[in-house]
Amino acid sequence: MAERTVHESTVESLRAELEELYQAIPALVSEEASRAEAEIARTRATTERLTAELEETYRGITEMTIELEHARAQAEAASRAKSIFLANMSHEIRTPMNGVLGMAELLSGTTLDAEQREFVTILSNSARSLLRIINDVLDLSKIESGRLELEHLPFSLRDAIAESLQLFAPRFSAQGVELLLSVDPQVPECYVGDVGRLRQIIVNLVGNAQKFTTEGEVEVHVRLAASQPDGMAARLVLSVRDTGIGMSPDALERVFDAFSQATRSTARTYGGTGLGLTICRNLARLMGGDVVVRSDLGSGSTFEVEVLLDLDSGDGMPSSDNLEGVHVLVIDDVATNRVLLRDLLVREKARVSLAVDASHAFEMLQRARERGDLPGLIISDVQMPGIDGWHFVNLLRHTPGLREMPVLLASSVGPSSEHFDAQSLGVRRVLSKPVHRTTLLRCVHEACGHELLVDRAQAEIVPRRVLLVDDSEVNRKVGVRLLERRGHRVTVARDGEEALATLAGESFDLVLMDLQMPGLDGFETTHEIRAREAALGVDPTPVVAMTADALVGTRDRCLAQGMDGYLTKPVEAAALFAVVESVEASRSPAGGATTAEDNDVAGAETADTEGEAEEGDVDFDEADHRFGERTFWRELAEIFVLEATGLLEAAAGDPATALRAMHTIKSGAASVAAPKLARLAMQLEQRLRVAPTEEFDLQEVRVALRDFAAVVSRSPDIVRRND
């Protein structure tokens, strides 16, 4: 009974607890539901806030994308405008440079004495250096865009360095600074690479050293790097050391930055754009190396350029042209110069003796005479302490047993002397320092009575039949003169239509094609030539483009249009000859003589000659400097007047024709030293480009052309010289 009572009591207790729990469930459910609703509300609020933030972010990204797209479009437009500007500037600058280099080349083919020929050589090298400086502007753009391409051509290292340094000889001499060059004997001679870019590095570094060095010396030294690659390649280190003002540590940190100089006072005092070293470093890196600099303020600087170059398997000179058996005495008070000349001559198998000054040389000559072993040639420096080179030769000519010895002098101040005449002293040649390897060897051969292989090579040139197509009379004149002096036969055409008509009746070994011509341009003419050849089933005639557009892409476009090559104006004679003589000469007889130029513009009416022309219509100093002989300038100027007169007549009332006419007149006027006419033509050309639909007036250009023609007709044929 007691157990039943306990059990019933337990059941009752559980029932009460369940009842209590049952009654509490709604409250618990309600509480949890409220808590859940609050959490859901908080989550919803958070979600709405995040959604709003995401929408705002999306709007921001969308707006930013639109802005970036707009900025990209603006950058592309600016890049296109920059490319167009660079192309136009390249064309306008190179066109007159074509006349400068062409006339210098023609002048070098005339009868000149040794001194005049050296002057012309320096003039030509300076013009080429100017052209390279102009190209720096284009190079910076190409480097920034990663489109700079290196050439891969064989060259002589020592020739390249000497040619570069020869440009600086007069400036160093005027400053009283010694310019030294040394190349380790272990350094090979011949390489394959971009010699133009290597010269550019040398010119920039030496020019920089010359600018900041007022006393002491600048030394260029070339050696092999400690670590060398395997195979047919060499890693070279070219150092340029100066005793100039040096640089502070702060200046060293930014020396290779574009448009940067050490200080503002440095820029004001020494000038410069701050591009040279930037370009040098980038070129060196393209050549597999780099540029480093060491400098202390007040103690000078040393720039070291490391480059990787392929070796040319044709290293060295032909054995039949060397100096084996020739004994040469070299006299120079500077050890570096003695070693340089010794290395150059020893490489050609000459036997070399060295003297430190004139007194030492006399002692060596006396002993050599007693032994019966006198040198066959003496090469003496001019600027030496004590007895200089001129006095040494004068004493030599009064010393029995030594009077007839052949002598070459090397000078850094010019080929003349106030007290002595080279010819009367029997000096074979006065060389400019640093001595150019090729010039030195040629002079040594001549002094020793040797016949050079290079002289015989000229006679072996096979004449080619060339069609020269160019709408510029001046460019045609220069091209014809250069090629005919080389022995080639040249026919000219003034535009694409005339070229096609000429090719229909004659065959040629090569066509030199200008690109920018009225009517059919060079591309269209070449396309038509290729179409005719395909229809007839004949072998294609090589077509080489000639243009002042030096931008990247022009060469590829020429090749894509069916052309076989590309020459940049101003065309250097060596490059022109190399292209022309690389094609196979025709085996068919040449037939009658081809015409040099056929001017059908005789009889064109000249403008009204009322009024007096001013001398300012012609820059006679520029004309005399460029052409040398007034007769040749008058010939080109008269051709230009007739050509420009015809262009003006055709341009009346037609903006497109007028635009082309102003472009041609501007270029031609600059070439014949007519600055006023060139300026007016350029101004009208610019107006026609900006507003091609507006009315235009040719009267100012006509008057300027009339005044120029009047000056030409009154000009004497004899050149004015500044004696």
Side-chain angles (χ1 to χ4, degrees):
M1 177 65 85
E3 292 179 357
R4 182 179 178 184
T5 301
V6 171
H7 178 72
E8 290 177 351
S9 176
T10 303
V11 170
E12 188 64 28
S13 175
L14 289 174
R15 182 181 295 113
E17 290 177 2
L18 288 173
E19 183 68 23
E20 184 180 355
L21 179 61
Y22 176 77
Q23 292 176 354
I25 285 175
L28 290 172
V29 170
S30 177
E31 182 180 349
E32 289 299 323
S34 298
R35 188 180 298 114
E37 289 176 357
E39 186 65 27
I40 290 171
R42 286 194 298 272
T43 303
R44 183 182 295 112
T46 301
T47 302
E48 291 174 351
R49 178 175 56 80
L50 292 175
T51 300
E53 291 177 355
L54 285 173
E55 289 176 350
E56 182 66 24
T57 301
Y58 177 76
R59 283 193 296 271
I61 292 174
T62 302
E63 292 174 358
M64 186 179 297
T65 301
I66 294 172
E67 292 176 359
L68 288 173
E69 183 66 25
H70 181 64
R72 185 182 66 82
Q74 287 183 322
E76 290 177 349
S79 178
R80 287 192 298 269
K82 178 181 177 181
S83 296
I84 293 171
F85 170 77
L86 290 174
N88 290 335
M89 288 301 298
S90 173
H91 181 270
E92 299 309 323
I93 292 173
R94 288 169 178 274
T95 297
M97 284 297 293
N98 190 40
V100 174
L101 286 170
M103 292 306 107
E105 187 69 30
L106 291 173
L107 184 59
S108 68
T110 62
T111 302
L112 303 171
D113 60 32
E115 184 175 2
Q116 291 170 330
R117 186 167 299 281
E118 184 170 8
F119 290 160
V120 172
T121 300
I122 294 174
L123 169 65
S124 181
N125 288 339
S126 298
R128 291 186 178 91
S129 178
L130 175 60
L131 189 60
R132 287 192 292 271
I133 293 171
I134 294 170
N135 289 339
D136 279 353
V137 179
L138 297 176
D139 288 345
L140 183 63
S141 174
K142 295 174 186 176
I143 289 171
E144 289 176 344
S145 61
R147 295 183 298 174
L148 186 67
E149 299 176 358
L150 297 179
E151 293 183 340
H152 204 67
L153 300 171
F155 68 93
S156 162
L157 177 69
R158 289 168 175 81
D159 280 358
I161 297 174
E163 287 171 0
S164 302
L165 298 188
Q166 192 176 31
L167 301 173
F168 294 96
R171 279 180 272 173
F172 277 98
S173 174
Q175 292 177 212
V177 176
E178 189 80 18
L179 177 58
L180 308 175
L181 169 64
S182 61
V183 182
D184 284 358
Q186 299 82 7
V187 175
E189 175 60 30
C190 297
Y191 299 86
V192 177
D194 197 327
V195 65
R197 297 302 181 185
L198 184 62
R199 286 196 192 104
Q200 187 175 359
I201 293 174
I202 297 169
V203 168
N204 276 332
L205 293 181
V206 175
N208 202 59
Q210 179 262 328
K211 185 164 59 174
F212 296 108
T213 305
T214 56
E215 60 182 12
E217 63 186 26
V218 172
E219 181 186 16
V220 179
H221 177 70
V222 185
R223 59 180 172 83
L224 290 172
S227 176
Q228 289 296 314
D230 297 330
M232 291 292 292
R235 188 171 292 277
L236 303 181
V237 177
L238 187 149
S239 64
V240 178
R241 178 187 60 83
D242 65 64
T243 56
I245 61 176
M247 288 179 284
S248 65
D250 290 341
L252 279 175
E253 292 181 0
R254 58 179 184 273
V255 69
F256 294 108
D257 294 343
F259 303 106
S260 174
Q261 295 205 8
T263 64
R264 291 184 178 180
S265 61
T266 299
R268 288 193 300 268
T269 304
Y270 299 99
T273 62
L275 287 178
L277 293 177
T278 304
I279 292 174
C280 282
R281 167 163 276 186
N282 281 279
L283 290 177
R285 288 174 174 175
L286 283 174
M287 294 181 181
D290 206 344
V291 183
V292 296
V293 57
R294 301 187 304 275
S295 183
D296 293 312
L297 193 61
S299 301
S301 305
T302 299
F303 286 84
E304 285 194 349
V305 184
E306 185 172 300
V307 294
L308 179 65
L309 296 172
D310 292 334
L311 290 170
D312 186 8
S313 58
D315 188 14
M317 294 273 290
S319 59
S320 56
D321 245 8
N322 62 39
L323 298 173
E324 189 171 5
V326 176
H327 182 194
V328 182
L329 172 62
V330 174
I331 313 169
D332 200 306
D333 61 304
V334 179
T336 305
N337 289 339
R338 293 196 303 271
V339 172
L340 170 64
L341 289 174
R342 181 199 65 191
D343 292 347
L344 286 175
L345 295 168
V346 167
R347 284 181 65 86
E348 306 308 314
K349 301 184 180 180
R351 182 161 61 96
V352 182
S353 301
L354 301 178
V356 298
D357 55 30
S359 299
H360 184 203
F362 268 113
E363 295 175 3
M364 295 178 66
L365 288 170
Q366 295 290 0
R367 291 195 298 269
R369 185 177 60 176
E370 294 172 0
R371 298 193 307 268
D373 186 29
L374 281 173
L377 177 67
I378 298 174
I379 303 176
S380 173
D381 183 29
V382 170
Q383 293 77 36
M384 294 186 294
I387 303 174
D388 66 18
W390 293 105
H391 285 88
F392 166 74
V393 178
N394 187 46
L395 292 172
L396 196 69
R397 297 302 179 229
H398 291 84
T399 302
L402 304 177
R403 294 172 179 167
E404 304 301 324
M405 295 198 67
V407 178
L408 299 175
L409 291 179
S411 172
S412 58
V413 298
S416 59
S417 168
E418 295 181 2
H419 307 291
F420 297 102
D421 176 72
Q423 187 173 0
S424 63
L425 281 179
V427 175
R428 301 296 179 91
R429 179 77 180 275
V430 182
L431 303 168
S432 294
K433 297 171 69 176
V435 178
H436 191 300
R437 170 181 172 273
T438 303
T439 302
L440 172 68
L441 295 180
R442 181 178 293 110
C443 291
V444 171
H445 278 290
E446 291 173 352
C448 298
H450 293 179
E451 181 183 5
L452 292 177
L453 290 178
V454 292
D455 295 329
R456 296 194 297 271
Q458 175 71 26
E460 298 173 358
I461 295 174
V462 178
R464 271 70 167 181
R465 299 190 64 200
V466 180
L467 175 61
L468 174 60
V469 188
D470 200 308
D471 63 313
S472 168
E473 194 83 8
V474 174
N475 287 343
R476 293 198 300 271
K477 198 79 174 176
V478 171
V480 168
R481 288 284 184 94
L482 287 174
L483 291 171
E484 287 191 338
R485 283 188 175 180
R486 188 76 168 180
H488 302 297
R489 304 169 68 87
V490 187
T491 299
V492 299
R494 289 166 291 192
D495 53 39
E497 294 285 356
E498 188 173 334
L500 292 173
T502 303
L503 286 167
E506 299 182 59
S507 62
F508 295 89
D509 299 314
L510 176 71
V511 178
L512 297 174
M513 182 75 69
D514 185 27
L515 293 185
Q516 296 188 24
M517 296 183 292
L520 288 178
D521 64 20
F523 294 119
E524 294 167 332
T525 305
T526 302
H527 180 75
E528 181 62 27
I529 291 172
R530 296 299 183 234
R532 291 184 180 184
E533 291 168 341
L536 295 172
V538 298
D539 292 335
T541 300
V543 177
V544 174
M546 295 195 305
T547 177
D549 183 359
L551 294 181
V552 170
T554 303
R555 182 191 300 271
D556 294 338
R557 185 185 175 196
C558 290
L559 298 178
Q561 292 289 332
M563 296 181 179
D564 301 274
Y566 170 93
L567 287 171
T568 302
K569 293 180 181 177
V571 179
E572 296 194 20
L576 177 63
F577 297 153
V579 167
V580 171
E581 291 156 17
S582 67
V583 301
E584 184 178 354
S586 173
R587 301 191 181 190
S588 60
T594 54
T595 72
E597 296 215 55
D598 181 15
N599 299 325
D600 292 332
V601 291
E605 296 181 2
T606 57
D608 182 15
T609 57
E610 292 181 3
E612 291 296 327
E614 300 178 0
E615 287 296 313
D617 293 311
V618 178
D619 186 345
F620 280 113
D621 289 338
E622 176 65 18
D624 293 345
H625 173 73
R626 184 177 298 175
F627 300 106
E629 296 179 1
R630 187 70 61 81
T631 302
F632 188 44
W633 168 79
R634 280 194 61 182
E635 180 183 352
L636 291 179
E638 288 169 354
I639 293 172
F640 166 72
V641 169
L642 292 175
E643 183 179 29
T645 301
L647 290 171
L648 287 174
E649 291 176 355
D654 184 356
T657 303
L659 178 62
R660 291 192 298 268
M662 292 307 103
H663 178 82
T664 302
I665 291 174
K666 172 190 63 177
S667 176
S671 295
V672 296
K676 178 181 176 182
L677 179 56
R679 174 176 54 82
L680 292 173
M682 179 184 67
Q683 292 172 350
L684 182 53
E685 179 191 17
Q686 291 173 346
R687 288 200 297 270
L688 288 167
R689 289 189 187 278
V690 174
T693 60
E694 294 184 2
E695 293 185 0
F696 60 92
D697 188 359
L698 299 172
Q699 185 58 28
E700 278 190 312
V701 178
R702 285 196 181 99
V703 172
L705 179 61
R706 176 202 65 191
D707 294 343
F708 173 74
V711 175
V712 171
S713 65
R714 297 200 309 265
S715 174
D717 288 340
I718 298 181
V719 67
R720 297 190 310 181
R721 300 186 183 277
N722 297 322
D723 296 329

